[in-house]
Amino acid sequence: MKAAATLSPPASGMPIRTVNHSKGYFCTMPENARLQSLLQEDEHQFMEALFKTYFPLVCKSIYRLIPDMATAEDLAQEVFIKIWNRREQLNEVYFKAYLHRAAVNMALDHIDKHKRRGGPHLEIGPTQEELPGPAPVVHLKETKAKIQQAINQLPEKCREVFVLSRYEEMSYKEIAQALQISVKTVENQMITALKKLRVSLKEYLE
Amino acid sequence: MFNNDHIDALIAREIAGGLTAAEKAELEAWLQEAPANRAYYEAMRQTWDLTANAYDNMPEPDIASNWERFQEKMTAPSPLRVVVKRRNTWRLAAAAIVVIAVAGLVFTLLRQNSSTTVVTADNDKKEITLPDGSRVFLNRNSEIRYDEGFASKHRTLKLKGEAFFDVQPNADHPFTVDAGTSHTKVLGTSFVIKAYENKPVQLRVVTGTVAFSGSRHTQDALVLSAGSGAILQHDKAPQAVKEADPNFLAWKENHLVFNHVPLYKTLHTLEDYFNVKFVVADSSLLNIDFYASGFDNPRLQEVLNVIMVAANVKITEERKGVYTVSR
């Protein structure tokens, strides 16, 4: 796969999918205007405001693809360093969407490099068959941890597709572009992910 | 029938993509065909729904510490890379530093007899009289170096950090300071240059006239007279600064004044003067504007007490040298 590391903002014609919770892209428009005016006035203050507003968002997007907080933080830092180095070209940028895409690209690129170097694989841990049986009492927090675990155990491409669709709110077309695969493959991987998750999470279903 | 790729694609699109009216009708027809079809679809749908909030409890990154870490990198020259915290990397880096340090020492020893270096430490300021009679006040963490023949053959010196120069007139040899990418050329005048590594070079002229230029030398030289200042961002042309920071010479004069400046500027001034750090969690505090009269030989706690009252904020020492500003 070609590294998807370029920090390019989503093309202006690309539809930004509305987010289904209250903090949608739309509601934060005044925030963007504020950041843009700060960028003109004082780039250090701009950077501080941008960082403090969006660092968690960037970090969490990366974490969902690379479930290790220390690595996610390192990569999130790199995202903001790239932004800082390009601060003179950000005049038209819609920051939230831009940072989100940069975070996803940074994570995918990291996974890619990791693979090429033959480093430790991300999908460690027992396979689905080896997963322990259902616990007698299931707490909500444990459920979430189990679901994360199940997602992390999906095959790499499958997991990327699922996470990008489920949590990064990306359309199949956007995912296909980011991963350099066809929309058809994205759809196939999506169903594969759901089938595998249904098996590994069967104790929580029905 | 269960492994029908086309139906799978329709289900995938229905769940997280989007169906056209025709596709919707097609899927609906398939669902009606057999209860098993609907069960299959429901299983996929339920799995999707189950995963909705899986990451709600994920660890929160610490913004303050990450911002602090980021700030350090922000001031480094581009392009920047994050140093990934892995033990082996550190060991390698440590080995590399030793090699570089040894090489640097050898280099310095070899050159020593041909140049003079004056260095100040973290909590140290120095006043030096140069061979030509010019005086230099060196702020902390700074260094000046000049080669053999200073005064008789040339008047060129290199500066790292911050220094105030009071230059003896000498029309034969212009006095030149190379600091970062900047060149400052004067005849007889006094001025201050702030050129810490990885930060823009700043200049303030106190008396007389100076020519200030960047790495493209004289092409973009700015001629500045008493009372004016300039800033040079790495690799760019120098720019005149309209509003001078009244505290530019605070380190030398031991006098601070805050005349209706926003809090962030005040904090920058204090960070420089007292060699401390401030962490402001709430960015809305940064623009609080306040007045505080002049401080002579200021002590940090005294200044902080005044700011807390004048700007109505709380400032607490989080750990040695790091202060948190909050409401």
Side-chain angles (χ1 to χ4, degrees), chain A residues 100-112:
Chain A
H100 177 252
R101 184 52 58 89
V104 166
N105 285 344
M106 181 65 76
L108 292 177
D109 186 42
H110 179 86
I111 294 170
D112 222 33

Side-chain angles (χ1 to χ4, degrees), chain B residues 117-288:
Chain B
T117 307
V118 182
V119 184
T120 52
D122 208 18
N123 275 316
D124 183 23
K125 295 174 191 174
K126 271 181 191 157
E127 186 181 342
I128 307 132
T129 304
L130 297 171
D132 70 335
S134 299
R135 285 188 310 152
V136 183
F137 295 84
L138 205 53
N139 200 354
R140 61 166 171 260
N141 281 324
S142 302
E143 177 187 315
I144 56 162
R145 199 177 77 211
Y146 51 88
D147 289 341
E148 219 173 36
F150 189 92
S152 57
K153 290 186 187 128
H154 69 92
R155 290 205 294 167
T156 299
L157 58 78
K158 283 195 160 54
L159 165 71
K160 285 179 188 165
E162 183 165 27
F164 172 83
F165 297 89
D166 190 356
V167 177
Q168 285 291 324
N170 179 345
D172 294 341
H173 296 303
F175 189 97
T176 310
V177 181
D178 292 341
T181 55
S182 76
H183 302 270
T184 308
K185 204 170 189 177
V186 304
L187 293 174
T189 174
S190 61
F191 60 98
V192 55
I193 296 183
K194 190 172 184 176
Y196 284 103
E197 232 173 330
N198 307 329
K199 298 239 165 110
V201 180
Q202 296 178 62
L203 170 92
R204 283 284 293 137
V205 182
V206 181
T207 61
T209 311
V210 311
F212 184 60
S213 57
S215 52
R216 276 158 288 177
H217 296 249
T218 43
Q219 289 157 10
D220 56 8
L222 270 184
V223 176
L224 300 156
S225 54
S228 54
I231 187 164
L232 176 72
Q233 304 271 3
H234 183 76
D235 265 5
K236 288 186 188 163
Q239 289 191 311
V241 177
K242 270 176 257 147
E243 257 177 84
D245 177 1
N247 292 311
F248 209 84
L249 271 178
W251 64 271
K252 178 175 168 282
E253 311 284 336
N254 292 314
H255 181 83
L256 288 171
V257 62
F258 303 108
N259 197 351
H260 293 293
V261 286
L263 187 61
Y264 76 91
K265 285 195 178 158
T266 302
L267 296 179
H268 274 308
T269 303
L270 296 178
E271 283 185 337
D272 274 0
Y273 188 84
F274 290 105
N275 198 17
V276 293
K277 272 195 183 283
F278 289 95
V279 179
V280 184
D282 178 352
S283 59
S284 70
L285 297 177
L286 293 170
N287 282 317
I288 297 177

Side-chain angles (χ1 to χ4, degrees), chain A residues 52 60 74 77 167 172 187, chain B residues 12 51 60 69 73 280:
Chain A
K52 289 184 172 171
K60 287 175 175 185
D74 284 347
Q77 291 256 347
Y167 305 108
Y172 290 162
E187 288 169 352
Chain B
T51 58
E60 281 290 330
R69 195 176 142 210
K73 291 187 213 102
V280 184

Side-chain angles (χ1 to χ4, degrees), chain A residues 67 120-127 149 152-154:
Chain A
H121 219 242
L122 280 166
E123 299 143 37
I124 38 173
T127 61
Q149 203 183 2
N152 291 338
Q153 281 157 2
L154 291 172

Side-chain angles (χ1 to χ4, degrees), chain A residues 42 44-45 48 52 60 69 73-74 77-78 84 88 148 166-167 172 187 190-191 195 198 206, chain B residues 8 12-13 40 43 46 48 51-52 54 58-60 66-67 69 73-74 80 82 236 264 280:
Chain A
D42 182 330
H44 278 87
Q45 265 205 77
E48 180 163 8
K52 289 184 172 171
K60 287 175 175 185
M69 212 13 134
E73 280 179 332
D74 284 347
Q77 291 256 347
E78 275 207 61
W84 174 244
E88 273 148 23
Q148 288 180 28
R166 189 68 180 109
Y167 305 108
Y172 290 162
E187 288 169 352
M190 190 67 205
I191 285 292
K195 283 180 182 170
R198 189 168 69 96
E206 306 285 314
Chain B
D8 273 352
R13 269 173 241 166
Y40 176 81
Q46 278 169 10
W48 175 258
T51 58
M58 84 165 87
E60 281 290 330
N66 270 292
W67 168 245
R69 195 176 142 210
K73 291 187 213 102
M74 216 165 97
L80 296 166
V82 171
K236 288 186 188 163
Y264 76 91
V280 184

